[in-house]
Amino acid sequence: MSKLAIFKKISLAAWIAIGLVLGVVVGAVAPDIAVQLKPLGDVFIRMIKMIVVPLIFSSLVMGIAGTGDFKKLGRLGGKSILWFEVATTLALIVGLVAVNLMEPGVGVTMTHVGSSEAVTKAASSHGLDHVQMLVNIVPTNIIDAMGRGDMLQIIFFSCLFAIAAAGSGKEGLHIIDLSKSVAHIMFKVTHYVMYVSPIGIFGAIAYTIGEYGIEMLMPLIKLVVCLYIAVAVFLILTVALASAVTKTNLFPLLKTLKEPMVLAFSTAASEAALPIAMERLEKARIPSHVVSFVLPLGYTFNLDGSTLYSAIAVVFLSQVYGIPFPIELQVVMLLTLMVSTKGIAGVPGAALIVIAGTAAAFGLPVEGIAILLGVDRVLDMARTMCNVTGNCIAAVVVARWENDVTPEDLKEHIREENAELSSL
């Protein structure tokens, strides 16, 4: 077998993993060279962001206007929000259990230097205005919303546009056909971009390790391990719960999603994994109108990894400072985070604001956030992977609740997709 044939037999997920490992090696061995590789990662992320908006818009219009069933749209929204609430509550519980059992903050001293600017910003924030967040769902300028990548505003306009297209007769049919063509072309563009993903990930990881150094993990290695274990436990429990709800073993779905999971982990950017996640779910025969609705909505309301981390971070701060934080107060904190973590994706640095606001509300020093900033990139990789995976699982659950796919068909479609991925 020729060397070229061997290379062709390596899957994209394997190439991404290779790029990740090489990035770590180059960043550790040659940090001066590694920091100059940042443009490779930046270009790749920009290419992905270039795809996301036209793909979501065309997919939503195609799916919603194509069905013409607007009651179904309302049911999709209601069932999505219900599952999101279940998943985020589970994430908070897992985070609290993990941080109390492992106690990652015990023994950590406040010698790690963080960004004073970020800490000051967080300390001066009084939390997120949820009423204003609801108002901001309606865009004043859809082109501006698309330029900023505001998912909620894009979804709102796309749904309204799709309803109008479905009610416009012959003229609307042209728009629906055009949307199908655009969605098909954008998936093709995604394929082209994914060919260079290992190079982009190599550059992004090399820069991160070269800039900050592996030694940045040492003071907080226990926190990193705590989060990673909590994420793994959460995903296992979520898949088990989703399997019970859908009456289908969904653990093989994780193999189907390995490329978007690895991509989300290595880039720490949810947008990077969205197009390939949508494609993988649609190839597993999850209806496109469900996928294109649930995934973007979940990027705002179902950030399981970020929610889990918020619970860990607040209790971690109490452990660092040796401040008693009894379980009854932690339950109150859990209820607070159930509300405050909704919609945090739409606000820059909102996760930091949520942690700071919650810590301040319970009498914990906000300055402790500085110690988290040094390893935030490593923590963000796990959070992002968890966010993406959780939203993919949500799409499958909602599709089953809508009876868009039977348990037998779902199992068979996942098996077929995994067999196809294995043959690539």
Side-chain angles (χ1 to χ4, degrees), residues 381-405:
M381 291 163 72
R383 296 197 304 259
T384 304
M385 187 270 290
C386 185
N387 291 341
V388 171
T389 309
N391 285 321
C392 290
I393 294 169
V396 175
V397 171
V398 172
R400 271 292 300 125
W401 277 351
E402 281 291 289
N403 293 317
D404 286 327
V405 60

Side-chain angles (χ1 to χ4, degrees), residues 122-139:
S124 63
S125 299
H126 299 290
L128 302 176
D129 187 339
H130 288 84
V131 173
Q132 190 59 41
M133 188 192 79
L134 292 175
V135 172
N136 288 340
I137 291 175
V138 182

Side-chain angles (χ1 to χ4, degrees), residues 60-96:
L60 275 172
V61 173
M62 174 185 67
I64 295 169
T67 61
D69 187 352
F70 308 130
K71 289 183 179 179
K72 187 179 183 71
L73 178 62
R75 292 199 308 271
L76 277 178
K79 291 175 180 178
S80 298
I81 295 297
L82 176 60
W83 177 260
F84 293 164
E85 195 57 49
V86 170
T88 51
T89 301
L90 178 61
L92 286 169
I93 293 172
V94 170
L96 283 184

Side-chain angles (χ1 to χ4, degrees), residues 105 312-326 330 364-365:
I312 290 178
V314 174
V315 180
F316 171 82
L317 292 178
S318 74
Q319 294 172 352
V320 168
Y321 286 97
I323 299 174
F325 201 28
Q330 292 187 33
L364 302 176

Side-chain angles (χ1 to χ4, degrees), residues 239 243 249-257 411 414-415 418:
V239 174
S243 297
N249 178 17
L250 292 182
F251 282 95
L253 179 67
L254 296 178
K255 181 179 179 182
T256 304
L257 299 173
K411 181 179 179 180
I414 292 174
R415 188 194 64 80
N418 285 343

Side-chain angles (χ1 to χ4, degrees), residues 92-362:
L92 286 169
I93 293 172
V94 170
L96 283 184
V97 172
V99 75
N100 280 285
L101 287 178
M102 297 188 65
E103 298 185 328
V106 175
V108 176
T109 57
M110 282 298 297
T111 58
H112 204 74
V113 178
S115 169
S116 57
E117 180 182 347
V119 174
T120 302
K121 176 184 175 183
S124 63
S125 299
H126 299 290
L128 302 176
D129 187 339
H130 288 84
V131 173
Q132 190 59 41
M133 188 192 79
L134 292 175
V135 172
N136 288 340
I137 291 175
V138 182
T140 56
N141 185 331
I142 188 57
I143 303 301
D144 175 61
M146 289 181 170
R148 290 182 288 105
D150 190 316
M151 289 293 180
L152 271 184
Q153 293 189 356
I154 294 169
I155 291 171
F156 180 88
F157 177 80
S158 300
C159 291
L160 196 61
F161 186 88
I163 291 170
S168 298
K170 186 177 179 181
E171 290 80 5
L173 291 177
H174 295 312
I175 295 297
I176 296 170
D177 290 338
L178 176 61
S179 297
K180 290 179 181 177
S181 299
V182 171
H184 177 77
I185 292 170
M186 292 315 299
F187 277 124
K188 194 69 176 177
V189 173
T190 300
H191 274 284
Y192 296 152
V193 173
M194 291 307 295
Y195 289 147
V196 300
S197 60
I199 299 173
I201 288 163
F202 164 73
I205 295 298
Y207 166 76
T208 299
I209 300 297
E211 177 72 14
Y212 301 106
I214 293 182
E215 63 273 8
M216 70 180 179
L217 295 176
M218 294 304 103
L220 299 175
I221 191 69
K222 198 173 178 182
L223 174 63
V224 175
V225 171
C226 177
L227 177 66
Y228 277 60
I229 290 176
V231 165
V233 170
F234 167 76
L235 289 178
I236 291 171
L237 292 177
T238 303
V239 174
L241 179 60
S243 297
V245 170
T246 61
K247 299 179 181 178
T248 308
N249 178 17
L250 292 182
F251 282 95
L253 179 67
L254 296 178
K255 181 179 179 182
T256 304
L257 299 173
K258 65 180 180 181
E259 285 183 13
M261 288 174 69
V262 172
L263 197 58
F265 178 81
S266 52
T267 61
S270 297
E271 297 95 335
L274 179 58
I276 195 70
M278 292 176 68
E279 183 182 36
R280 287 286 170 260
L281 288 173
E282 290 187 19
K283 284 194 172 182
R285 312 285 178 83
I286 305 302
S288 60
H289 67 275
V290 175
V291 174
S292 57
F293 182 84
V294 175
L295 257 62
L297 190 65
Y299 271 46
T300 298
F301 289 110
N302 191 42
L303 298 175
D304 299 326
S306 300
T307 302
L308 185 153
Y309 171 65
S310 297
I312 290 178
V314 174
V315 180
F316 171 82
L317 292 178
S318 74
Q319 294 172 352
V320 168
Y321 286 97
I323 299 174
F325 201 28
I327 192 65
E328 56 268 23
L329 270 183
Q330 292 187 33
V331 172
V332 176
M333 181 199 71
L334 183 148
L335 297 175
T336 302
L337 287 173
M338 284 174 63
V339 177
S340 60
T341 54
K342 294 294 180 289
I344 62 176
V347 182
L352 189 67
I353 295 171
V354 167
I355 294 169
T358 306
F362 288 90

